[in-house]
Amino acid sequence: MRKKIYLMGVFLVIAVAISMILVNIYTRQPTPSLKQRIVVYAYNDKITGIDPSIEDDTGLVVLGSIYETLTYYDYKTGAVKPRLAINWSVDSGGKEWMFQLRRGVKFHDGTPFNATAVKISIERARDIYRETGRGMGYIWDAVEEIEIIDEYTIKFILKYPQRLDLLASGSYAAYIFSPSVIEKANVTSYMDEKLEDWFNSGNAIGTGPYKLISYDPTREIRLEKYDEWWGWKEINNPNAPDIVIIKIVTEPVAQYNGLLSGEIDIASSIPRENVRMLLEKGFKAINLPTYHNFILFFNTKRYPTNIREFRLAIAHALDISRVIRDALLGYGKPASGIIPHEFPGHVEGLTYEYDLAEARNYLNASGVKLPVTINLLYQVDYEETRKFAEIFKSMMAELGIIVELNPQDWARLKDIAKGVWTSPEETPHLVVADWWPTIPSPYDYLYTMLHSDSKEWNFAGFENKAFDELIDSAWILEGEDYAKAMELYEQAQRLVHEDAVVIGLWDEVRPFVYSSRINMPEDALNPLYMFVIRFELVEVRL
Amino acid sequence: MPVSLNYIFKRIILSILVILGVIVFSYLLLMLSPGDPAVKWAGNPRGPGATKAIELAREELGLNKPLYMQIVNFIYNFLTGNLGLSIAYKIPVSQVIVSGFAATLELMLFTYFFSVPLGIWLGIYSAINRGSRIDSFIQSISIILASTPTFWLGSLLLLASNSLTGFFPYGRVSSKLALSTGFTPITGFYLLDSLIQGNIQVFIDVLVRLIPPALTISVYPIGVLARVTRTLVAEALLEDYVRAAVAWGIKRKTIIRQFVLRSIVPPVIQISGLSFVYSLVDAMVVETVVFGREGLGSILIDSLHKADFRVTLALAVYLTAFYIIVNTLVDIVQATIDPRIRL
């Protein structure tokens, strides 16, 4: 028997040794057939759909490489730049827009790009929204008629003045798809519901620098360089990736491991505490200041958060710089109001100074007897909101306010939070939610989160006619007098600030960490097109 | 015949009742908890049309009907094979589940391929040497193995494999390698698929990535099987017929093979079956959280987070069916090999 044990032991040692050698040989040998420039980009969520007219969530990360918009928003200068449209003009006080389209552009299936494609793409997004409320087609609400002047000229007639050049750069509902989809999908009209299924089952025909070659929304999406893209001659990047794999890696730790193993080239969600370690190992990072911000909503319909002084007490007891240091490890910028820094309409100074004495004064003035218990609803999916909740609880304890924590995933959080309109007494006193925009307009943030008609997203239950009128007027004025519109947006924000209905917490700074075999310029990222990487600008060493 | 038709009939009826119970219970639980699938189906709508979009979505999903009608509809759709589209990803539910199921099952089968024989062998060896140092050692190890938190062990193995080999066994297969060698999943079982395609590079890659999660998951079945087998063998060794055999001078090896092992096979099969199903839960956690592999774990967590009740319910039904099938198979195998058992 002893002999057997001995033999077994020897066998085991040999087996382990062989497997280790195998692993070593295998992992060290260069893969000879890797002649193509392949980039694996780890994205942190599964894809919710790729219908260019309807998709309004994570599909953006795919759509942004396959499709193009008429214009492009340059977040650094705030300028609108040509893309599929080369120039444009506006008339009749912002109600008539004429776009000259780029010539010689072809869709991925060879169909020529022209005014018809623009008309059907925008009409589809708009009409689906009008009929069903789905997607982001509301950005085209003002568009009454689209007139094809000639193959490369298109005219938009609006119901009310709008900055159509800005809207046309939107990150959703502004993508131009090929008119040939109707034939390929075997449907009778662009409004046919089967067309949505066709897109979502992995079909896409855009004009962008990359075309879709395989689609598994839960695992990975493969894109291939589109050699006939019009922009290659302008960019002149012979080292752009031939193949892009967008790999769904939901766990930040798994993204970190993937980078280390060489499996992933670009990671979008690395645990913040590991970024420095990666940089020390030779990885590179772009810290992108984003338009993704976090907001604290007060339930204005429930005691005691319905008392302005009580809300101000909380606002002054909240030390945002500590939150950014401890919860975000520096990857955030203290917010000023609910419109992020550098975004149109952002106003400086809409903050509450951390001052416990001031907080106590407001608390006394509120008439709320201590101890008082309030509850905080927050999203469990974000590590930073989890940490924030703990820190917030300890900060409020200093004031004598007891905070009960209510962590939920996004679907449940939204369902509970919107209860402020129907059952405010059962809805938590405080909600932490996040937002990123569709179009570069303050209306995107202000309407959605604070307008009294926005009952799905206004988690404060805030109703203020003056505020509504200000932002509605500003929205229409954007097309006529942009500067005046910005003034109105500012007034509206000051009104909210004085009332302390919401507190802007922080604007996210997101580190995109990438391998040293990649060269990624800062321009490859744009906070309006969150998580989209302009792979055409990325250089890959073989 | 050890398995009667009556038994099979009863088992089928019972299984159907259990599945129906799971559907009703899960459906009620999902619908009564916060998280509106209609919001997700409508795509988190914004703007002035948001409320309308949610109402239309509710209608389309049949969520505006009474709960019992919704359940009846779900059962009807399930039976007719029409699970519909996933709420979150807008692709067929079956497509979402099948790929994850193959990934998890491959991991489970690979794990059990070595952990069952190893656990049994340790148990037998420990029992026939009971009272010795090696027996104490095996007993201690099996307790430790059965009670080791798997995701701690998984993380440790991940780090160890990195520091020993410079390789992170992350994911199921290298995307770059799969792409450059033209590997295409056929059955979803990558080991098998790579063999069918004669793609040795991918086969090794898949194998290397399977080992750490499989080792992680294997600790529970190895530990449990070693403990149970030891007890069973030790008890069998004290039976009169074994002692008589010893008195008759029959060789020790023959006694172990002919008398002892035969008597422990049915309970060992039962324990293996039960621990297989239990390990499925372990696999679902470890594969996703630690090793970044796709599988049923990530699908289930995601479907719950995203109020994708169609996927959650389908998974609940499939997992229940899987549990029932494994247990039924275990009973049938037991009855087939043990003439004392009549089903």
Side-chain angles (χ1 to χ4, degrees):
Chain A
M1 186 54 77
R2 283 190 178 195
K3 198 179 166 190
K4 270 192 176 176
I5 298 171
Y6 175 74
L7 280 174
M8 189 73 81
V10 171
F11 173 75
L12 211 69
V13 170
I14 292 171
V16 170
I18 288 174
S19 32
M20 298 224 325
I21 291 165
L22 251 177
V23 168
N24 254 318
I25 293 170
Y26 173 68
T27 52
R28 281 177 194 174
Q29 74 177 30
T31 321
S33 48
L34 276 181
K35 282 178 188 150
Q36 288 181 307
R37 291 185 161 80
I38 300 174
V39 163
V40 179
Y41 170 41
Y43 179 59
N44 62 340
D45 208 346
K46 293 173 182 173
I47 306 301
T48 48
I50 50 166
D51 185 318
S53 318
I54 303 174
E55 173 55 17
D56 57 4
D57 202 348
T58 57
L60 170 62
V61 72
V62 182
L63 296 175
S65 294
I66 300 171
Y67 294 96
E68 290 176 293
T69 46
L70 288 178
T71 58
Y72 184 78
Y73 181 73
D74 182 345
Y75 77 100
K76 285 181 176 164
T77 60
V80 183
K81 292 187 167 174
R83 216 179 196 183
L84 285 176
I86 46 171
N87 58 56
W88 49 91
S89 57
V90 58
D91 218 339
S92 302
K95 286 173 76 175
E96 278 185 22
W97 288 76
M98 191 86 84
F99 285 83
Q100 292 296 327
L101 306 178
R102 195 177 291 277
R103 289 165 189 263
V105 176
K106 277 185 182 170
F107 285 100
H108 298 155
D109 65 341
T111 308
F113 161 75
N114 55 24
T116 310
V118 176
K119 183 176 161 70
I120 58 151
S121 299
I122 291 171
E123 280 182 349
R124 181 169 184 260
R126 179 197 64 185
D127 294 346
I128 287 177
Y129 189 81
R130 279 186 186 163
E131 281 184 21
T132 67
R134 296 184 61 209
M136 304 288 203
Y138 66 86
I139 65 171
W140 305 113
D141 177 62
V143 177
E144 193 164 57
E145 203 185 324
I146 303 174
E147 209 178 300
I148 296 173
I149 305 296
D150 61 44
E151 202 168 358
Y152 296 105
T153 313
I154 193 158
K155 185 177 178 183
F156 292 80
I157 299 159
L158 311 186
K159 287 187 279 186
Y160 49 87
Q162 281 282 274
R163 276 290 304 271
L164 213 63
D165 56 338
L166 273 176
L167 297 179
S169 71
S171 53
Y172 295 103
Y175 297 109
I176 310 301
F177 58 84
S178 168
S180 63
V181 297
I182 199 158
E183 196 184 308
K184 300 250 163 61
N186 197 20
V187 291
T188 48
S189 89
Y190 296 106
M191 295 298 286
D192 194 325
E193 284 176 14
K194 282 183 191 154
L195 185 55
E196 183 186 354
D197 294 342
W198 184 79
F199 279 124
N200 287 333
S201 58
N203 296 293
I205 312 175
T207 57
Y210 286 86
K211 55 185 179 183
L212 185 68
I213 50 172
S214 79
Y215 178 72
D216 179 345
T218 61
R219 217 164 52 86
E220 67 176 38
I221 293 93
R222 289 182 187 174
L223 310 175
E224 188 181 50
K225 187 176 172 185
Y226 177 47
D227 291 326
E228 289 179 59
W229 179 53
W230 59 269
W232 289 122
K233 40 186 181 288
E234 290 185 15
I235 284 175
N236 188 25
N237 176 13
N239 298 327
D242 298 305
I243 301 280
V244 170
I245 299 173
I246 299 174
K247 202 171 173 70
I248 312 301
V249 186
T250 51
E251 293 297 324
V253 174
Q255 289 205 8
Y256 170 73
N257 290 340
L259 266 182
L260 288 178
S261 71
E263 271 303 298
I264 290 171
D265 298 305
I266 307 171
S268 61
S269 300
I270 291 294
R272 306 292 194 256
E273 57 271 27
N274 293 357
V275 175
R276 183 180 287 179
M277 213 184 308
L278 286 169
L279 295 178
E280 283 166 5
K281 284 179 185 282
F283 289 89
K284 296 184 270 185
I286 294 177
N287 293 325
L288 180 74
T290 72
Y291 298 152
H292 181 211
N293 62 351
F294 289 77
I295 301 120
L296 181 71
F297 290 81
F298 289 98
N299 178 343
T300 57
K301 295 181 182 299
R302 182 181 177 187
Y303 178 85
T305 42
N306 58 347
I307 302 168
R308 176 177 171 268
E309 286 73 19
F310 185 77
R311 300 197 294 263
L312 280 166
I314 289 180
H316 284 286
L318 182 56
D319 184 358
I320 290 289
S321 56
R322 188 182 144 198
V323 171
I324 288 176
R325 189 190 65 216
D326 297 347
L328 283 85
L329 305 178
Y331 289 97
K333 198 170 180 182
S336 169
I338 65 164
I339 295 183
H341 293 271
E342 320 301 336
F343 193 81
H346 172 78
V347 179
E348 278 300 333
L350 300 182
T351 52
Y352 303 93
E353 197 189 344
Y354 172 60
D355 184 344
L356 273 182
E358 184 77 347
R360 286 198 180 94
N361 288 340
Y362 275 118
L363 195 58
N364 290 336
S366 73
V368 175
K369 295 270 184 312
L370 295 177
V372 64
T373 303
I374 55 173
N375 35 52
L376 171 72
L377 176 65
Y378 62 96
Q379 215 175 320
V380 75
D381 318 355
Y382 292 117
E383 197 189 348
E384 48 266 52
T385 50
R386 289 199 300 266
K387 287 182 180 169
F388 165 78
E390 293 295 340
I391 295 170
F392 180 79
K393 186 177 176 169
S394 69
M395 283 175 182
M396 292 306 117
E398 285 183 46
L399 211 57
I401 299 172
I402 301 158
V403 180
E404 284 177 353
L405 302 183
N406 183 1
Q408 296 288 344
D409 56 54
W410 172 240
R412 278 154 196 87
L413 178 138
K414 186 175 184 302
D415 206 25
I416 297 169
K418 70 179 184 180
V420 71
W421 292 98
T422 49
S423 48
E425 289 304 320
E426 281 86 55
T427 306
H429 296 95
L430 301 162
V431 180
V432 181
D434 62 315
W435 192 257
W436 73 68
T438 303
I439 46 169
S441 163
Y443 197 65
D444 193 306
Y445 285 87
L446 297 174
Y447 174 87
T448 316
M449 287 189 272
L450 292 167
H451 198 287
S452 58
D453 285 345
S454 178
K455 300 213 164 31
E456 287 294 324
W457 300 94
N458 179 347
F459 299 150
F462 177 60
E463 289 180 280
N464 186 314
K465 270 193 180 169
F467 174 86
D468 291 354
E469 278 169 19
L470 275 171
I471 65 165
D472 287 342
S473 311
W475 173 236
I476 290 172
L477 212 55
E478 273 192 49
E480 268 179 301
D481 186 344
Y482 193 70
K484 179 73 185 158
M486 292 300 131
E487 272 177 35
L488 295 189
Y489 283 131
E490 183 172 341
Q491 280 178 40
Q493 288 179 78
R494 292 201 182 279
L495 196 151
V496 171
H497 181 70
E498 279 162 25
D499 214 10
V501 178
V502 289
I503 302 176
L505 297 173
W506 66 83
D507 303 340
E508 184 191 19
V509 174
R510 181 166 282 268
F512 285 79
V513 185
Y514 55 99
S515 119
S516 55
R517 65 182 274 268
I518 302 274
N519 183 28
M520 187 160 78
E522 277 191 9
D523 284 347
L525 300 167
N526 184 327
L528 183 66
Y529 312 96
M530 190 73 177
F531 292 110
V532 174
I533 292 180
R534 294 184 64 195
F535 291 105
E536 65 271 26
L537 299 178
V538 171
E539 291 179 74
V540 188
R541 269 208 316 273
L542 272 176
Chain B
M1 188 176 161
V3 184
S4 68
L5 283 176
N6 190 30
Y7 169 79
I8 292 173
F9 179 72
K10 272 188 192 165
R11 198 74 194 220
I12 289 171
I13 297 292
L14 195 69
S15 306
I16 291 171
L17 288 176
V18 169
I19 289 174
L20 282 178
V22 166
I23 291 176
V24 173
F25 183 70
S26 311
Y27 203 99
L28 289 175
L29 213 63
L30 285 171
M31 289 303 148
L32 296 177
S33 62
D36 187 353
V39 174
K40 194 74 197 170
W41 183 249
N44 283 319
R46 275 156 252 190
T51 312
K52 181 183 172 186
I54 294 167
E55 282 316 309
L56 283 173
R58 190 161 286 124
E59 211 172 293
E60 205 180 326
L61 294 172
L63 299 174
N64 54 345
K65 292 180 179 149
L67 259 179
Y68 74 91
M69 278 296 292
Q70 293 179 36
I71 296 172
V72 170
N73 280 345
F74 178 81
I75 293 169
Y76 175 78
N77 289 335
F78 191 83
L79 290 175
T80 51
N82 176 25
L83 290 170
L85 297 180
S86 145
I87 306 283
Y89 317 120
K90 316 282 189 298
I91 55 169
V93 168
S94 50
Q95 196 183 323
V96 176
I97 291 177
V98 163
S99 63
F101 195 73
T104 305
L105 199 60
E106 180 178 53
L107 175 61
M108 293 289 295
L109 291 174
F110 183 75
T111 304
Y112 272 70
F113 176 73
F114 67 86
S115 60
V116 170
L118 187 60
I120 295 171
W121 181 81
L122 282 173
I124 296 169
Y125 189 74
S126 181
I128 54 182
N129 291 289
R130 62 190 183 283
S132 68
R133 277 188 190 170
I134 193 92
D135 176 35
S136 314
F137 177 72
I138 291 174
Q139 280 203 69
S140 315
I141 287 290
S142 56
I143 291 172
I144 292 170
L145 287 179
S147 50
T148 302
T150 42
F151 56 106
W152 170 78
L153 181 69
S155 309
L156 218 63
L157 281 174
L158 204 66
L159 289 173
S161 72
N162 178 242
S163 52
L164 288 174
T165 65
F167 174 70
F168 260 99
Y170 146 90
R172 284 185 80 194
V173 64
S174 158
S175 299
K176 290 177 193 171
L177 184 68
L179 184 73
S180 58
T181 58
F183 171 71
T184 326
I186 303 166
T187 61
F189 294 86
Y190 286 3
L191 276 181
L192 185 67
D193 292 346
S194 54
L195 277 181
I196 293 170
Q197 291 167 44
N199 193 332
I200 298 303
Q201 268 186 299
V202 167
F203 178 81
I204 297 172
D205 187 59
V206 173
L207 188 67
V208 165
R209 284 160 205 269
L210 260 178
I211 293 170
L215 281 178
T216 308
I217 299 162
S218 71
V219 293
Y220 178 77
I222 291 176
V224 166
L225 279 170
R227 300 256 330 144
V228 172
T229 311
R230 184 198 174 276
T231 310
L232 291 169
V233 173
E235 277 171 8
L237 286 171
L238 297 174
E239 292 287 341
D240 289 345
Y241 62 89
V242 174
R243 296 213 298 218
V246 174
W248 275 92
I250 299 173
K251 278 185 184 171
R252 188 182 157 92
K253 259 188 194 174
T254 314
I255 295 172
I256 301 280
R257 277 188 196 155
Q258 297 292 321
F259 302 112
V260 177
L261 290 190
R262 229 177 229 195
S263 69
I264 67 157
V265 167
V268 164
I269 286 176
Q270 197 169 28
I271 297 296
S272 306
L274 284 174
S275 71
F276 185 79
V277 181
Y278 177 85
S279 298
L280 188 65
V281 180
D282 242 1
M284 283 164 67
V285 174
V286 168
E287 66 184 356
T288 309
V289 179
V290 183
F291 294 99
R293 300 166 63 87
E294 71 258 30
L296 289 181
S298 67
I299 292 170
L300 184 66
I301 292 167
D302 238 61
S303 68
L304 286 167
H305 277 192
K306 292 178 176 161
D308 197 344
F309 74 103
R310 285 176 169 168
V311 170
T312 314
L313 281 171
L315 260 181
V317 175
Y318 285 137
L319 288 176
T320 310
F322 181 71
Y323 192 91
I324 292 170
I325 290 168
V326 170
N327 277 301
T328 310
L329 282 178
V330 165
D331 286 352
I332 292 172
V333 171
Q334 266 186 302
T336 312
I337 56 178
D338 188 347
R340 292 168 301 179
I341 298 172
R342 283 275 170 267
L343 298 174

